[in-house]
Every structure is written in structure tokens, then in C-alpha cells.
């Protein structure tokens, strides 16, 4: 019996000595060793009582072992739920509880904090460290390196990735085997990946970009990965002559351009630089071409949909656009008021449909209905237009979202905490331009009459609740927030007022 994703991505590598992952210290893991390790992990999942369809949450450092947990889940039919390593215990508690995860795997440094979190949610806890040690690895040692793959149909769930919303709590986007495979196939083909490629992989593996886009494409095409625990610009410069491709968020590219030793010569062996997850400034695109002769290929995607559009591999990669809908993906621009399709050139909401689009939000049928139409089109919350040549432009967001260094931040989550702080009547969190992260959150606090909110104490109070990357990089105290005649806070005015805070 078939397993859609396992058969396409992993099956053929059993016993293969070809190089898959090279670590910064030069250690090389072969494809065969990787799938063997995944098989051992799959046994452990079974021994711990996980059945096909159960959820496994992981909050662990990036490593080949961490990636093998993903492969093990696919092979055992377990739903993989990766979590940002920056999340606080309070944040992790929600995901474990909401998903009904049976097992949480964490780093040993967090085990004592997360044990009560797991217990409260009725989940088991095991440890897997970035160096491959820990109780989970101990359980796997000595297990057979071949595992009877659990059958999975294209429509079966492979992963939950949580994505925040403008209101309420995070939603678990349910991604199927077919969602992930169809997108990987289209991307590997569109970007001409092959077993001759070596990808600089410096993205985290708990989001779509580093996990599915990067890894699945490499597995499908036989490409190798130079695998970094995080983005270290010096390591990337050192290794670029050994690589052929890189995927990154725009911050990777601006940080590279800040390095004088990043030259056309250094990039001469590269065939492709890909950017996504946040807008790449046209200025960065131009500077990059001037410096290296390479035109960055920008693409557009989301957690719920995988990748939707891409600039062409052959053909003009146009700065400030995200290219054309990928093969098999339909994209239209609609009126936010009526839902009607708008003519070319007009700005409206971006909707997409295709085999890449997720199944819905876990146990949130109403949220699913709000965003996923019955006819299969997903309302992305992004605003865009299609130009006369068919290139898609993203011109803004209908959703109140800040993207900092490729991480999504929903103002509402921060505002709810700020509103509770002493001396604060109400708050508005806005995104302002930031030279490194693209955008960064600023908290505008309207004080209670006569009060002087203690900014340091407020930031301290946030730290136990929110991941560091969500913390406002600046707080500003005002007497009142600007409102329109309907009483709605005018964030556009605030964004304009504070746009130069980090200039
Ligand atoms: C780290 N910090 C951030 C941050 N990353 N703050 C804001 N935004 C971020 N993205 C914090 C750190 O905790 C630290 O806090 C301080 O900022 C400086 O850290 P740093 O050492 O400079 O950060 P670094 O580790 O280099 O990380 C920056 C980064 C990283 C841009 C390399 O965030 C990253 O890899 N981003 C990629 C995100 C991603 O993969 N997105 C894809 C989502 S999928 P302190 O305490 O020192 O102040 C998706 C769909 C799609 O969107 O289309 O792809
Ligand atoms: P996420 O919820 O993390 O999947 O983030 C998806 C969002 O990132 C999209 O809805 C867009 O707003 C944004 N995004 C992704 N790629 C691009 C891009 N190339 N240009 C502009 N925005 C992007």
C-alpha cells in the first residue's frame, strides 16, 4: 500500500550512500543514513503509543535528527507539528493543548519547564537535542533501520502548521500529503533542481519555507543541503563557493549585501538565489544584481497554501513582483466587498485555488468557512494586482499583520497583553520599516489619565508570555489613539507618524 509523501520523498533513498546533509563541521550524512534514522524514530513513535493520525509536536533545535522526526512522522502516518524554538512555554502550551498532541519533543534545556505543559495537556514528553542526544534518541538506538511504511492517501494529513489570526488564537493549518507533494513537484521543476544542486539551507525548519519548500525540493530532486543551525553570514560566505542555490527571507539578502566580501566572484558558482516569506524591496533586488550579476527569484507563499506564485526561472524576474501563478495554481484578484473577480490592473484581495491549498483549520470550521470558499478558493488576506504582463504584485495586506525577518507577528496578540499593563488605557501595535528585519513592531500606548506607564516593566512583563521576536522594539506613550468617525483606531496614521523610528 502506498504512502503518498513517503514514497515520493524518502523511499528510494534506503541504503543509498549519496550525500544528503553536510553540517558546518564538515560531517556528512548520507541519504541512506537519514532514512535509516527516520525508520528508527518511527519505531519509537509506535512504542510510545502514537497511532496514524495522532499529532506529534516538536520544539527542538535545527539538526538532521530534527528533520528525521519529520520523515518518521510521514512514514508512521503521524501528523507533524513543528514549533518555533523562540516560543515561550505559555505559547507552546496552547499549541500542544489545541492540537491534542500525544507527544511533545523538546530540547533538554526546556524539559523542566515544558514537562508540566505536556502533562497538563495529557501529552508525553521526550528530549531531542540539537547534537542528536536525548531520551528520544536513546529510545531509537538499536531499533531496526527499516520500518514498514504506514499507508497514507493523498488526502491524509501530514502536518499541522499553526498560523496566527487577526482575532483570536492561532489556527492549525491542516496540510495533506498531496498538498506538500504537489507543491514540491511544481517547485523542483520550475526552479530546475537536480542532483547536481547544493542548497545553502540556513532557514529554520519549523516553517513552510525551510521545512517544505527547501527540504522537500531537495529530497525530490536529489539535491544536497549545507545545513546551518541558523543564518550565520560568515558561514554562508565561506561555503558559497561549494553551493549552487540559496533560499532565504529578504533579511538574508540585505545582510549579505552588508558584507563587502560578498562579491560577484564569490557568487559565481551559484545558479539561483530565491527569496520569499516577506516583501523583497526592489532596491535590494537591484543592488543584488549590481553586486553579483544575479537576479534574485522572488516567490510568494503562505502556510495555508504552500507556494502560489514565482518569478520565472528562464524569463524576466521582475523586481517588486512575485511573478506568475505556479502551474496548477489559479490566482484571482477579487473585491473585498462583493467577492467578484476584478479586472487586470485593479487592486483587490488575492485568492488562490489548487492542489497546494490546505484542508482547513483544525477544529475551527467557522474560521475555515470564512477564509476557504466552498469553490476551493482561499482568501489569502493579501492585497494585490495582476499587471498587463501577468505578473502578480503584492501591494499590501488586508490582514493586520507584521512580518519581521520572515516571522509573522499579529498585533492583536501583543495589544491584548499591553492593554492589561498598569497605566495603559489601550494600545495599538503597528509595523514600521526596519533596516534589518524589513518591518518591526512598535507599541503605541494610550495612557490612563494622569498615569505614566513604566515602559521597562511593561517589556519585562511581555517576556514570559511572548516569543522575543514579537516584542515591540519600541514603546511610545501618547494621550490618545487617533480614531476615525466610526471609532476605529487609524493605524495608517500611526504608521505614518512613526515610520522613521528606525531609519
Ligand atoms: C531573531 N530575532 C528577531 C527575529 N529573529 N526579532 C525580530 N524578527 C526576527 N525575525 C531576535 C533575536 O531573538 C534577538 O533578540 C535579536 O532579534 C537579534 O537576533 P539575531 O541574531 O540578529 O537574529 P538571527 O538569529 O540572525 O535571526 C534573524 C533571521 C531569522 C532573519 C535570520 O529570524 C530567520 O531565520 N528568519 C526566517 C524566518 C522564516 O523562515 N520565515 C518563513 C515563514 S514561512 P535579542 O534578545 O538579542 O534582542 C512563510 C511562507 C512563505 O512565511 O512564503 O515562505
Ligand atoms: P505565513 O503565515 O507565515 O505563511 O506568511 C504568509 C504571508 O507572508 C503571506 O500572506 C504574505 O503576506 C507574506 N509573503 C510571503 N511571501 C511574500 C512575498 N514574496 N512578498 C510579500 N509578502 C510575502
Amino acid at each position: 500500500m502506498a504512502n503518498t509523501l513517503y514514497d515520493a520523498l524518502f523511499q528510494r533513498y534506503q541504503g543509498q550512500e549519496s550525500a544528503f546533509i553536510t553540517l558546518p563541521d564538515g560531517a556528512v550524512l548520507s541519504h541512506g543514513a537519514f532514512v535509516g534514522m527516520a525508520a528508527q524514530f518511527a519505531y519509537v513513535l509506535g512504542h510510545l503509543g502514537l497511532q496514524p493520525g495522532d499529532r506529534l509536536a516538536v520544539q527542538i533545535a535545527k539538526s538532521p535528527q530534527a528533520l528525521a522526526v519529520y520523515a518518521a512522522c510521514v512514514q508512521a502516518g503521524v501528523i507533524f507539528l513543528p514549533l518555533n524554538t523562540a516560543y515561550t512555554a505559555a505559547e507552546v502550551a496552547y499549541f500542544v493543548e489545541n492540537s491534542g498532541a500525544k507527544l511533545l519533543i523538546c530540547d533538554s534545556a526546556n524539559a523542566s519547564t515544558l514537562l508540566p505543559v505536556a502533562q497538563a495537556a495529557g501529552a508525553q514528553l521526550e528530549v531531542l537535542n540539537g547534537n542528536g542526544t536525548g531520551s528520544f534518541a536513546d529510545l531509537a538506538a538499536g531499533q531496526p533501520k527499516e520500518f514498514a511504511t504506514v499507508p497514507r492517501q493523498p488526502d491524509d494529513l501530514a502536518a499541522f502548521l499553526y498560523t496566527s489570526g487577526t482575532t483570536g488564537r492561532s489556527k492549525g493549518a491542516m496540510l495533506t500529503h498531496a498538498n506538500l507533494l504537489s507543491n514540491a513537484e511544481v517547485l523542483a521543476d520550475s526552479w530546475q533542481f537536480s542532483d547536481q544542486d547544493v542548497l545553502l539551507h540556513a532557514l529554520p525548519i519549523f516553517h513552510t519555507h525551510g521545512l517544505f519548500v527547501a527540504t522537500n525540493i531537495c529530497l525530490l530532486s536529489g539535491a544536497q543541503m549545507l545545513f546551518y543551525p541558523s543564518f550565520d553570514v560568515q558561514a554562508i560566505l565561506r561555503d558559497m563557493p561549494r553551493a549552487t542555490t540559496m533560499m532565504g527571507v529578504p533579511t538574508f539578502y540585505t545582510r549579505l549585501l552588508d558584507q563587502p566580501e560578498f562579491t560577484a566572484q564569490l557568487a559565481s558558482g551559484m545558479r539561483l538565489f530565491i527569496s520569499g516569506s516577506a516583501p523583497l524591496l526592489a532596491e535590494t533586488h537591484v543592488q543584488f544584481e549590481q553586486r553579483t550579476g544575479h537576479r534574485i527569484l522572488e516567490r510568494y507563499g503562505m502556510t495555508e497554501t504552500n507556494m502560489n506564485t514565482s518569478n520565472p526561472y528562464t524569463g524576466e524576474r521582475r523586481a517588486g513582483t512575485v511573478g506568475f501563478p505556479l502551474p496548477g495554481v489559479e490566482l484571482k484578484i477579487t473585491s473585498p466587498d462583493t467577492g467578484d473577480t476584478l479586472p487586470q490592473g485593479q487592486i483587490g484581495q488575492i485568492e488562490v485555488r489548487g492542489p497546494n491549498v490546505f484542508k482547513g483549520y483544525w477544529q475551527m470550521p467557522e474560521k475555515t468557512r470564512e477564509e476557504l470558499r466552498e469553490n476551493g478558493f482561499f482568501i489569502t488576506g493579501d492585497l494585490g494586482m495582476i499587471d498587463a504582463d501577468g505578473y502578480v504584485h503584492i501591494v499590501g495586506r488586508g490582514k493586520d499583520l507584521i512580518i519581521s525577518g520572515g516571522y509573522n507577528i499579529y498585533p492583536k496578540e501583543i495589544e491584548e497583553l499591553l492593554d492589561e499593563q498598569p497605566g495603559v488605557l489601550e494600545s495599538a501595535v503597528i509595523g514600521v520599516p526596519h533596516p534589518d528585519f524589513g518591518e518591526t513592531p512598535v507599541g503605541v500606548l494610550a495612557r490612563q489619565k494622569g498615569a505614566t506607564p513604566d515602559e521597562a516593566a511593561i517589556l519585562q512583563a511581555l517576556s514570559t508570555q511572548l516569543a522575543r521576536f514579537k516584542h515591540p522594539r519600541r514603546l511610545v506613550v501618547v494621550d490618545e489613539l487617533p480614531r476615525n468617525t466610526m471609532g476605529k483606531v487609524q493605524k495608517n496614521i500611526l504608521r505614518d507618524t512613526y515610520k522613521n523610528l528606525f531609519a
Side-chain angles (χ1 to χ4, degrees):
M1 280 279 278
N3 175 313
T4 304
L5 204 53
Y6 192 84
D7 294 352
L9 298 187
F10 306 105
Q11 174 67 33
R12 72 193 147 106
Y13 291 124
Q14 279 179 15
Q16 295 299 314
E17 293 305 317
S18 47
F20 176 36
I21 291 175
T22 303
L23 295 172
D25 66 3
V28 179
L29 185 75
S30 70
H31 282 106
F34 179 78
V35 294
M37 175 161 61
Q40 293 182 309
F41 288 174
Y43 277 103
V44 178
L45 301 186
H47 294 159
L48 293 174
L50 276 84
Q51 303 284 331
D54 284 344
R55 274 76 59 204
L56 161 55
V58 298
Q59 191 194 33
I60 48 181
K62 181 177 172 185
S63 69
Q65 288 79 3
L67 198 60
V69 178
Y70 159 56
C73 285
V74 174
Q75 189 168 25
V78 167
I79 299 171
F80 184 60
L81 194 180
L83 295 171
N84 193 322
T85 47
Y87 288 149
T88 62
E91 290 166 309
V92 173
Y94 170 77
F95 300 117
V96 176
E97 194 274 322
N98 182 268
S99 66
K102 279 231 174 113
L103 172 64
L104 169 64
I105 306 182
C106 70
D107 287 310
S108 56
N110 299 327
S112 57
T113 320
L114 290 178
L115 183 60
V117 166
Q119 283 171 340
Q124 303 169 72
L125 185 86
E126 297 292 344
V127 165
L128 184 60
N129 295 310
N131 62 5
T133 61
S135 60
F136 187 78
D138 293 343
L139 291 170
Q143 298 295 334
K145 293 189 177 159
E146 283 187 25
F147 177 85
T149 303
V150 171
R152 291 281 96 180
Q153 299 300 311
D155 218 27
D156 283 330
L157 298 178
F160 281 6
L161 292 193
Y162 274 77
T163 159
S164 291
T166 26
T167 53
R169 302 305 303 262
S170 285
K171 302 164 286 185
M174 301 189 286
L175 294 155
T176 67
H177 281 237
N179 289 152
L180 302 181
L181 180 58
S182 65
N183 211 236
E185 285 173 342
V186 159
L187 295 174
D189 188 52
S190 301
W191 298 340
Q192 299 190 13
F193 268 75
S194 77
D195 60 5
Q196 299 303 300
D197 275 311
V198 179
L199 175 76
L200 291 163
H201 191 307
L203 287 159
I205 54 168
F206 43 70
H207 279 312
T208 299
H209 197 165
L211 180 63
F212 299 137
V213 181
T215 310
N216 288 354
I217 290 179
C218 287
L219 284 161
L220 205 57
S221 62
Q224 295 183 44
M225 302 196 282
L226 303 181
F227 212 58
Y228 305 89
S230 61
F231 182 78
D232 169 354
V233 76
Q234 292 308 327
I236 297 294
L237 291 174
R238 182 193 65 216
D239 294 344
M240 194 169 284
R242 296 199 285 143
T244 63
T245 56
M246 184 172 102
M247 293 181 195
V249 295
T251 301
F252 284 21
Y253 293 105
T254 51
R255 287 188 183 180
L256 276 172
L257 285 170
D258 284 343
Q259 304 298 317
E261 58 273 46
F262 180 54
T263 58
Q265 169 61 26
L266 199 81
S268 61
M270 295 286 285
R271 70 168 183 91
L272 183 60
F273 291 92
I274 302 170
S275 177
S277 308
L280 181 77
L281 294 179
E283 181 190 309
T284 309
H285 190 280
V286 170
Q287 277 178 13
F288 201 89
E289 185 177 13
Q290 283 168 351
R291 179 86 69 89
T292 65
H294 285 279
R295 290 176 79 92
I296 298 173
L297 183 153
E298 186 171 8
R299 80 346 172 243
Y300 158 60
M302 297 184 71
T303 299
E304 290 92 332
T305 64
N306 298 282
M307 300 304 102
N308 296 311
T309 74
S310 173
N311 268 282
Y313 184 73
T314 48
E316 189 193 343
R317 298 177 198 161
R318 210 171 268 185
T321 82
V322 292
F324 307 109
L326 286 161
V329 178
E330 294 169 80
L331 182 147
K332 61 183 185 179
I333 307 294
T334 62
S335 154
D337 303 324
T338 63
D340 293 342
T341 304
L342 296 174
Q344 206 159 28
Q346 281 197 27
I347 293 172
Q349 57 187 9
I350 300 178
E351 297 192 25
V352 294
R353 177 165 73 180
N356 53 317
V357 174
F358 76 142
K359 256 197 131 160
Y361 297 113
W362 169 246
Q363 292 185 334
M364 291 188 183
E366 276 139 50
K367 294 270 177 220
T368 303
R369 267 194 300 278
E370 279 168 25
E371 296 178 31
L372 190 56
R373 296 187 193 277
E374 265 177 23
N375 63 10
F377 272 97
F378 178 68
I379 306 166
T380 61
D382 292 309
L383 300 177
M385 67 105 170
I386 303 174
D387 71 18
D389 298 324
Y391 285 83
V392 177
H393 297 237
I394 297 177
V395 298
R397 297 178 200 132
K399 52 196 173 190
D400 193 12
L401 164 69
I402 300 165
I403 305 184
S404 164
Y407 286 149
N408 287 8
I409 302 170
Y410 279 87
K412 184 88 191 155
E413 192 183 4
I414 309 171
E415 288 161 1
E416 279 173 359
L417 291 170
L418 291 175
D419 290 350
E420 289 170 4
Q421 301 305 316
V424 176
L425 179 66
E426 58 174 353
S427 65
V429 171
I430 50 164
V432 303
H434 187 274
D436 187 28
F437 293 127
E439 261 183 318
T440 201
V442 167
V444 185
L445 309 176
R447 71 176 110 231
Q448 282 167 353
K449 218 172 166 42
T452 311
D454 179 342
E455 295 175 32
I458 292 176
L459 286 176
Q460 178 58 31
L462 295 189
S463 64
T464 56
Q465 300 295 313
L466 289 180
R468 172 79 186 108
F469 70 87
K470 298 180 189 169
H471 296 188
R473 292 212 166 229
R474 196 71 64 78
L475 293 177
V476 184
V477 178
V478 297
D479 289 330
E480 58 183 359
L481 298 176
R483 287 180 185 279
N484 65 15
T485 46
M486 308 286 287
K488 197 168 180 290
V489 175
Q490 291 169 300
K491 287 199 169 178
N492 54 336
I493 294 184
L494 293 175
R495 278 192 281 265
D496 194 52
T497 308
Y498 299 110
K499 64 176 186 264
N500 291 324
L501 269 186
F502 298 92

